[in-house]
């Protein structure tokens, strides 16, 4: 191969020197090579890769809404009567909006007093969809606090009232077709999560049946003249 003439090489050197740096950078990028930064500027820093699974410190785990401490049996009495019949029990739904029974139904007469099962503060007393409702936040039950609901009730308390176990909240009203007979719907929540209200009652309240009068042997029977003798029961 022959050599290039000297004047031609000189013209080529001048032409290359006149090419702007941006054109060279674009050509390098088009060929897939590294792009040079303009003079006086630092090269771009590549973006950091997104972090993978980062271990969270203990106690920083996400908690489901409404979760909290377990339910403690703080109840001291039933909301109606001494030991009412449970017409319908607790049936937790499979999903947040699924079918179920979010509370228990207790048989009672219309006009029967409805009582707070534990100490607390009245969070609501009024009407919802035409039904009387009373809600009580229970004292010392964690955060968010446990909240009991009672319906249908003609309230005799107001929002903000402090109540104790056994305090009368109102009287049972006539309900709808929710129960075959008159009943109190009793609910329990922590935040937005429904819980079984019967878990508030200690075992001695759940197992206690109605009182019965039994015959007693050896009771003195007074006769005329002030003389007492023991009455035999034949047992």
């Amino acid at each position: 191969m022959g050599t290039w003439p000297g004047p031609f090489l000189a013209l080529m050197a001048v032409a290359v020197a006149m090419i702007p740096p941006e054109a060279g950078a674009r050509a390098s990028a088009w060929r897939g090579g590294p792009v040079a930064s303009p003079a006086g500027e630092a090269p771009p820093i590549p973006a950091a890769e997104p972090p993978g699974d980062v271990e969270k410190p203990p106690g920083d785990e996400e908690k489901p809404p409404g979760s909290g401490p377990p339910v403690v049996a703080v109840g001291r009495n039933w909301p109606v009567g001494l030991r009412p019949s449970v017409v319908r029990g607790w049936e937790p739904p499979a999903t947040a909006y699924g079918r179920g029974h979010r509370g228990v139904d207790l048989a009672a007469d219309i006009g029967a007093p409805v009582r707070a099962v534990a100490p607390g503060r009245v969070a609501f007393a009024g009407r919802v969809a035409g039904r009387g409702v009373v809600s009580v936040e229970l004292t010392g039950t964690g955060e968010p606090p446990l909240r009991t609901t009672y319906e249908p009730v003609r309230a005799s308390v107001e929002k903000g009232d402090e109540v104790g176990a056994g305090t009368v909240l109102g009287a049972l009203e006539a309900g709808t077709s929710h129960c075959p007979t008159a009943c109190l719907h009793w609910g329990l929540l922590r935040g937005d999560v429904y819980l079984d209200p019967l878990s508030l009652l200690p075992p001695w309240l759940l197992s206690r049946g109605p009182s019965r009068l039994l015959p007693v042997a050896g009771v003195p029977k007074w006769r005329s003249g002030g003389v007492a003798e023991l009455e035999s029961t034949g047992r």
Side-chain angles (χ1 to χ4, degrees), residues 103-120:
V104 296
D105 294 336
L106 305 176
D109 296 329
I110 296 175
V114 177
R115 303 178 184 275
V117 298

Side-chain angles (χ1 to χ4, degrees), residues 23-196:
R26 288 194 294 269
S28 178
W30 179 79
R31 291 194 303 268
V35 179
S37 301
E41 295 185 8
I45 300 175
E49 293 293 330
D53 295 334
V54 179
E55 184 178 354
K56 296 182 178 181
D60 195 32
E61 296 82 3
E62 294 182 359
K63 297 181 179 180
S67 63
V71 177
V72 180
V74 296
R76 292 296 174 263
N77 52 266
W78 287 83
V80 286
L82 296 176
R83 179 57 174 90
S85 299
V86 178
V87 179
R88 185 180 178 185
W90 161 249
E91 301 170 11
T95 61
Y97 301 99
R99 296 176 61 86
H101 192 229
R102 297 165 173 82
V104 296
D105 294 336
L106 305 176
D109 296 329
I110 296 175
V114 177
R115 303 178 184 275
V117 298
R121 181 182 60 84
V122 177
F124 178 83
R127 307 199 74 80
V128 177
R131 292 176 299 177
V133 179
V134 176
S135 177
V136 178
E137 289 185 352
L138 304 185
T139 303
T141 55
E143 195 62 37
L146 293 172
R147 187 170 76 253
T148 52
T149 59
Y150 311 83
E151 59 178 290
V153 176
R154 185 173 64 254
S156 58
V157 291
E158 297 180 351
K159 180 179 179 179
D161 287 352
E162 298 288 337
V163 297
T167 299
V168 175
L169 305 174
L172 184 65
E173 292 183 322
T176 58
S177 57
H178 186 74
C179 297
T181 58
C183 71
L184 172 74
H185 181 78
W186 178 32
L188 175 65
L189 301 94
R190 186 187 293 281
D192 296 328
V193 177
Y194 287 87
L195 304 168
D196 183 3

